[in-house]
Amino acid sequence: MASTATETYGYMQHKAELTARLARIEGQVRGIAKMIEDDRYCIDILTQLGAVDTAVEAVALRVLEKHVEHCVAGALASGDPEVANEKSRELLEAVQRFAKTR
């Protein structure tokens, strides 16, 4: 769904937190690339990859949490069954996509 100028999303009040987390993850990924360039030990690299995976998952769960609290809750509270069903379907699809990556 495309954003409009007046539309808000649950994560918007947490943009600074989320972008800071993503910047740290970006730094971790650059560090892993350097480890590979420097011929570091496989297990050390795998350990750092696991840390990045955990960090990305934490960001995803935070965005999902805010989506449920704001977007889904708002749709349910709207009293419009069509809007509520759409947001519920979107949520289930997002959770299914997220679960497939685990």
Side-chain angles (χ1 to χ4, degrees):
M1 179 179 286
S3 175
T4 64
T6 60
E7 197 163 18
T8 63
Y9 301 110
Y11 68 84
M12 292 174 98
Q13 291 183 337
H14 304 275
K15 282 169 80 168
E17 168 200 342
L18 293 169
T19 55
R21 283 185 178 192
L22 290 168
R24 284 193 300 275
I25 292 167
E26 181 181 18
Q28 285 178 287
V29 171
R30 281 193 309 269
I32 294 166
K34 177 109 172 73
M35 290 174 78
I36 290 172
E37 289 172 10
D38 294 346
D39 299 321
R40 295 281 300 273
Y41 185 54
C42 305
I43 297 302
D44 294 339
I45 294 168
L46 290 169
T47 299
Q48 292 306 309
L49 287 167
V52 167
D53 187 47
T54 299
V56 168
E57 183 175 320
V59 171
L61 289 172
R62 184 73 164 150
V63 172
L64 180 62
E65 172 190 10
K66 294 303 158 192
H67 176 67
V68 170
E69 291 175 356
H70 180 267
C71 302
V72 176
L76 294 174
S78 75
D80 183 335
E82 190 174 312
V83 171
N85 286 336
E86 159 110 14
K87 287 295 178 198
S88 295
R89 182 189 51 73
E90 273 182 4
L91 175 60
L92 289 173
E93 289 174 358
V95 169
Q96 289 170 346
R97 278 192 309 272
F98 186 70
K100 285 180 184 178
T101 66
R102 301 289 137 236

